[in-house]
Amino acid sequence: MTAVDAVVRPQRSSRRRAGRIGIRDGRFALLYLSPALIVFGVFTIGPALFVLYISLFDWNLLNSSLSTFTGLHNYRALGSSADFWHSIVASVYFVGCVVAGSTVFGLGIALLLSSRGLVRRVVRLAVLTPYFTPLVATSIVWVWIFNPQYGLLDSLLRMLHLPMVGWLQSTTWAMPAVIFYTLWHDLGFTVIIFLAGLATVSTDLREAARVDGARYRHEIRDVVLPQLTQTIVFVIVITTIDSLQAFTQIYTMTQGGPLQATTTTGFLLYQESFVFFHTGFGAAIAVVLFAVIALFTLLQLRVSRSRSQ
Amino acid sequence: MTPFAQNHHNSREGTMHWHRRSSIVVGALLAAAACSYAAYGATASSRATINISFMEAMASGTQKPSLDLLTKRFEAQHPNIKVTLIAEPNYGVLQQKEQAAIAAGKPPTIGQAYENWAAGYADAKAIIPLTGYVNSKKMGVTTADRKQIWKGVWQDLFLPDGKIWMWPFNKSDYVMYYNADKLAKAGLQVPKTWVQFATVAKALTKSGNWAWSTDTGTLAAPADGTIVMLAMIHAFGGTWIANGKPTLNTPAAIKALGYLADLKKSGALQIGTNYPGETALGAGRSAFDLSTIAGYPYELAADGGKFSMKVAALPTGRNGEGNAMAGTNIVIFSKASNAERAAAWQYMKFLSEPRQTAYWAEATGYLPVTKTALPIMKRYIATHPYQQIAAHSLDVARGNPPYAWWTVAEGQLATALQAVLDNGGDPAHALAAAQAKAMAAAGG
């Protein structure tokens, strides 16, 4: 045995041993993870792949043997479908307003509530409460608030001698009404995120700015907001994903109407798949929606990673 | 044309493939038909117990105990047949469960189904035609008994191929609920025609009150307003379909929508959601609600005894009374064995017989499917005269056209109503747009 052998052999054997331990650990990890992987595979990955498969067929929901392979036909049909493009416009309207509203009002309310005090704690609780209420129940309550004959809003308009508005019946007002409800329900979540973000803002810097004579708005603009950038991006991404998936309030309040004014892409997916049973076409919508949401999820992951770094 | 329809029409290969397969299918169908007709002769009288299952949505109020009781009576008369009721909370869930069961290859023996559901099930070969059972000498329905079934109900049992695929069960139709005190106070008569209805409605529209509230529904979920419009189309001499295609923009339809637009413009008609007709009538703000007779208990609960609520038939038009049938039929799923099919047919027939359908009507508020039930219900009708009014309307009432695309067509009609009544659109233009989309869905 040479000197080199004497040095190298133990190194090789320890590497081999380490490799064996690594493989064994990997097997154990896989074993422990397998229940979760099986559940995830069967109930999430499997159905998702099946949706992709269905989207390539003129799918017969009741008798799959009568389904015919149509390749990318459903995707081409999506491209030429006026209803689909109308739903994209409605989605952009809904998502844009909800994201902008959640971010601006969420941040504003969080700034107002960030200092201590009993009243502010009570207000904080009040803002957060709607978020914990069931969407179906509260959206039905809002349907009655928006009712043109007996609703609270139109009663106020009548008291002020203003013309009545059919909030959920008008193509002009139905989407703003649904957006208003969504903001009312979801704002508490963004306020909490912003409050958490504000807790990490350096108080030394804020005090230094104040000592230097900065006004409140300058303190917010030049000291607080730059430190909140990642929180703001996080809120925008999360709210965008949530809004793209919004369904319950649209289903309960407007059923996508009037005249499809509130038919977002998510609602169109339901309508085509489960009302008209155009299953292949609906699956193609689901795949497109999935791709968009996956894009935002990746963005969110990157933001989360950069935050943790 | 929707992508769904295009798939069928653009695929030349698919058509050729279909022709090649059609001869095999025809042969197989002939063989199957021979076996099936042999089955009509077999009754479920063998000693072994035959288990059948019935997927239904009769789970609320008096419906469940009434169906339970009828089923027990049937089992007592047929000791070798055991019926398992699978109750679902509503029609939406029922449809999903039936579809899931069909897709999984494990449907129940029988199930409630609307006409357009049955059309889809038949296309997927998931149900069987009942013509053989109905015509069977041993276990069928006699010609005399057939003639006693309300005309509208009988017509509702067929699919476009001319075969009977459904058997009637829980039927209702539309009636006019009205506040009799309000009409008497204004010195107005109960309107019998749509012309009179408009006059009375406008006369009652003052001081924050109006005549009628309804919900048009949406593309995804048409509601009462759309169904009443369908009834008006028939009353005005129009059609819903012709030669297997939708006819949503006939002159009668344009006239009906124009009529509703005029009522809306005058303030006599208000549009809302969540059963606005019932709410407004109950609150004393309106004088009428046009809704199904099955909703009578809910109308009664809404008025709370504050006024005298009465019921009349829907107003008539140039073509007499038009009405829309609500409620479902029963279908037999094709996975059932011959013995199960025979047992199921006996159960379905039992439920439709005069004594049972009379009991069902008295207990639940649905209508008897045959005229011969009315004498049995004499005492009940004396205290519930509205049942007879609604039952007679079953002669003219029409069910959903039995085409799978009708869901889209009806939704498009709801969209036309929204365009005109909520957003001031032109009736002819709105109906033309609805017709174009409905035709596309129908593959035309």
Side-chain angles (χ1 to χ4, degrees):
Chain A
M1 189 191 286
T2 63
V4 174
D5 285 343
V7 175
V8 171
R9 271 184 192 164
Q11 276 182 350
R12 277 183 186 160
S13 65
S14 68
R15 215 177 288 152
R16 237 179 273 139
R17 211 180 308 131
R20 276 201 298 272
I21 291 167
I23 289 167
R24 201 182 57 195
D25 284 354
R27 281 178 187 157
F28 274 121
L30 204 63
L31 183 72
Y32 295 140
L33 281 172
S34 58
L37 284 176
I38 289 167
V39 170
F40 189 64
V42 170
F43 293 105
T44 306
I45 301 293
L49 291 174
F50 193 57
V51 167
L52 185 65
Y53 175 72
I54 285 175
S55 72
L56 304 175
F57 285 80
D58 175 11
W59 191 258
N60 188 317
L61 186 68
L62 301 171
N63 189 344
S64 54
S65 67
L66 297 175
S67 304
T68 47
F69 180 74
T70 55
L72 295 175
H73 175 85
N74 286 323
Y75 292 93
R76 282 196 294 272
L78 265 188
S80 60
S81 163
D83 288 343
F84 176 70
W85 289 111
H86 185 278
S87 81
I88 293 284
V89 172
S91 291
V92 169
Y93 181 5
F94 179 77
V95 171
C97 290
V98 170
V99 170
S102 295
T103 311
V104 172
F105 294 122
L107 181 58
I109 293 168
L111 284 169
L112 289 173
L113 298 176
S114 57
S115 54
R116 289 174 185 178
L118 182 65
V119 175
R120 291 186 182 192
R121 255 187 245 164
V122 171
V123 174
R124 201 183 297 181
L125 187 68
V127 170
L128 191 60
T129 303
Y131 185 67
F132 295 115
T133 58
L135 269 168
V136 172
T138 49
S139 52
I140 288 173
V141 171
W142 276 92
V143 165
W144 283 104
I145 292 174
F146 286 127
N147 186 298
Q149 282 96 41
Y150 320 99
L152 184 68
L153 284 180
D154 274 305
S155 300
L156 291 173
L157 291 179
R158 266 195 297 274
M159 275 170 60
L160 298 168
H161 301 286
L162 291 170
M164 271 185 1
V165 177
W167 298 99
L168 300 176
Q169 283 80 42
S170 150
T171 47
T172 309
W173 289 106
M175 186 59 103
V178 175
I179 290 167
F180 184 82
Y181 165 77
T182 308
L183 285 174
W184 171 83
H185 187 270
D186 292 354
L187 206 57
F189 174 73
T190 47
V191 168
I192 289 293
I193 300 287
F194 278 125
L195 282 171
L198 283 169
T200 64
V201 170
S202 162
T203 47
D204 293 348
L205 279 176
R206 290 186 74 168
E207 275 169 20
R210 261 177 257 148
V211 168
D212 286 348
R215 289 181 178 178
Y216 181 72
R217 63 189 167 95
H218 291 136
E219 183 191 330
I220 297 298
R221 191 189 66 194
D222 299 327
V223 179
V224 176
L225 287 184
Q227 292 186 71
L228 272 182
T229 308
Q230 286 180 338
T231 307
I232 293 169
V233 173
F234 176 77
V235 164
I236 289 173
V237 172
I238 280 287
T239 318
T240 304
I241 293 170
D242 272 359
S243 309
L244 281 169
Q245 293 175 324
F247 173 77
T248 309
Q249 61 269 54
I250 296 168
Y251 178 82
T252 315
M253 295 174 79
T254 60
Q255 286 273 351
L259 299 179
Q260 302 180 64
T262 56
T263 300
T264 57
T265 310
F267 189 83
L268 183 71
L269 158 60
Y270 154 78
Q271 187 172 276
E272 290 293 333
S273 306
F274 302 109
V275 178
F276 301 147
F277 300 109
H278 299 160
T279 316
F281 187 67
I285 298 174
V287 170
V288 171
L289 196 60
F290 169 77
V292 174
I293 291 172
L295 203 71
F296 278 98
T297 309
L298 285 174
L299 188 65
Q300 188 232 322
L301 282 173
R302 291 196 70 173
V303 170
S304 301
R305 267 190 212 131
S306 65
R307 283 185 85 194
S308 61
Q309 279 164 10
Chain B
M1 186 185 285
T2 64
F4 185 67
Q6 279 174 339
N7 288 343
H8 287 292
H9 287 263
N10 291 351
S11 170
R12 213 172 152 195
E13 290 85 345
T15 312
M16 286 169 68
H17 187 55
W18 166 249
H19 283 305
R20 262 202 309 275
R21 291 179 69 180
S22 60
S23 56
I24 303 167
V25 172
V26 167
L29 284 175
L30 283 172
C35 295
S36 302
Y37 272 88
Y40 301 133
T43 59
S45 59
S46 62
R47 283 189 187 164
T49 301
I50 299 163
N51 290 296
I52 60 168
S53 52
F54 179 20
M55 197 174 266
E56 36 86 11
M58 302 288 98
S60 68
T62 55
Q63 294 166 1
K64 187 175 168 14
S66 308
L67 188 58
D68 283 345
L69 183 76
L70 287 175
T71 304
K72 275 182 188 148
R73 279 187 198 163
F74 173 77
E75 286 175 338
Q77 284 179 25
H78 302 81
N80 62 328
I81 301 174
K82 171 90 180 77
V83 184
T84 303
L85 298 174
I86 307 167
E88 304 299 346
N90 56 53
Y91 287 129
V93 175
L94 175 73
Q95 189 185 19
Q96 284 170 11
K97 291 280 181 78
E98 283 183 353
Q99 287 176 338
I102 294 166
K106 289 184 177 173
T109 317
I110 54 175
Q112 276 180 283
Y114 278 105
E115 303 81 356
N116 46 344
W117 302 6
Y121 295 167
D123 284 346
K125 304 183 190 342
I127 57 173
I128 59 161
L130 306 178
T131 314
Y133 288 112
V134 177
N135 293 336
S136 163
K137 280 185 181 168
K138 200 168 181 181
M139 51 198 299
V141 181
T142 64
T143 312
D145 285 345
R146 264 183 240 183
K147 283 184 180 165
Q148 291 303 313
I149 294 175
W150 301 103
K151 196 176 156 196
V153 173
W154 177 255
Q155 287 171 347
D156 191 48
L157 307 177
F158 294 80
L159 287 188
D161 62 1
K163 291 179 188 166
I164 296 173
W165 290 79
M166 300 165 266
W167 198 244
F169 176 44
N170 61 320
K171 288 293 169 192
S172 69
D173 56 21
Y174 278 71
V175 290
M176 181 173 71
Y177 297 97
Y178 63 95
N179 182 333
D181 297 347
K182 211 166 200 172
L183 260 67
K185 197 175 167 190
L188 295 164
Q189 296 292 311
V190 181
K192 288 192 163 53
T193 67
W194 283 108
V195 175
Q196 289 172 6
F197 183 85
T199 310
V200 171
K202 286 174 187 173
L204 288 166
T205 304
K206 55 189 169 189
S207 317
N209 290 332
W210 59 93
W212 171 36
S213 280
T214 194
D215 180 3
T216 59
T218 63
L219 177 64
D224 272 353
T226 301
I227 315 296
V228 171
M229 160 93 181
L230 284 168
M232 289 173 73
I233 290 173
H234 268 167
F236 288 12
T239 54
W240 306 347
I241 56 163
N243 302 319
K245 301 287 178 199
T247 54
L248 300 182
N249 62 339
T250 58
I254 296 167
K255 191 180 166 191
L257 191 47
Y259 174 97
L260 292 174
D262 178 55
L263 275 188
K264 175 74 177 22
K265 201 176 164 189
S266 70
L269 172 64
Q270 299 284 334
I271 305 297
T273 52
N274 277 12
Y275 303 100
E278 204 173 284
T279 312
L281 181 68
R285 302 287 295 276
S286 72
F288 299 100
D289 184 24
L290 309 185
S291 188
T292 69
I293 192 66
Y296 185 86
Y298 303 99
E299 300 278 353
L300 206 59
D303 89 40
K306 294 191 290 285
F307 57 87
S308 168
M309 188 194 74
K310 291 195 171 165
V311 177
L314 286 186
T316 58
R318 182 170 66 82
N319 207 32
E321 184 190 343
N323 208 316
M325 200 184 297
T328 67
N329 297 312
I330 305 179
V331 293
I332 300 183
F333 291 101
S334 52
K335 288 274 178 186
S337 68
N338 283 340
E340 288 165 348
R341 291 175 184 186
W345 164 248
Q346 287 185 69
Y347 176 64
M348 289 154 66
K349 191 179 148 216
F350 170 85
L351 291 178
S352 70
E353 284 167 357
R355 197 158 161 244
Q356 284 73 249
T357 193
Y359 168 78
W360 177 247
E362 289 182 12
T364 64
Y366 281 110
L367 299 172
V369 298
T370 169
K371 293 170 201 168
T372 41
L374 291 182
I376 303 170
M377 297 171 68
K378 209 171 173 181
R379 280 174 67 185
Y380 177 80
I381 285 170
T383 52
H384 302 76
Y386 57 87
Q387 270 272 343
Q388 190 161 10
I389 294 166
H392 280 287
S393 292
L394 283 177
D395 255 348
V396 294
R398 297 285 175 272
N400 284 336
Y403 296 93
W405 50 259
W406 179 250
T407 314
V408 179
E410 199 179 27
Q412 290 300 339
L413 189 64
T415 305
L417 262 81
Q418 283 186 326
V420 174
L421 303 181
D422 286 327
N423 295 281
D426 171 59
H429 182 75
L431 287 169
Q435 170 68 6
K437 290 201 167 182
M439 277 296 274

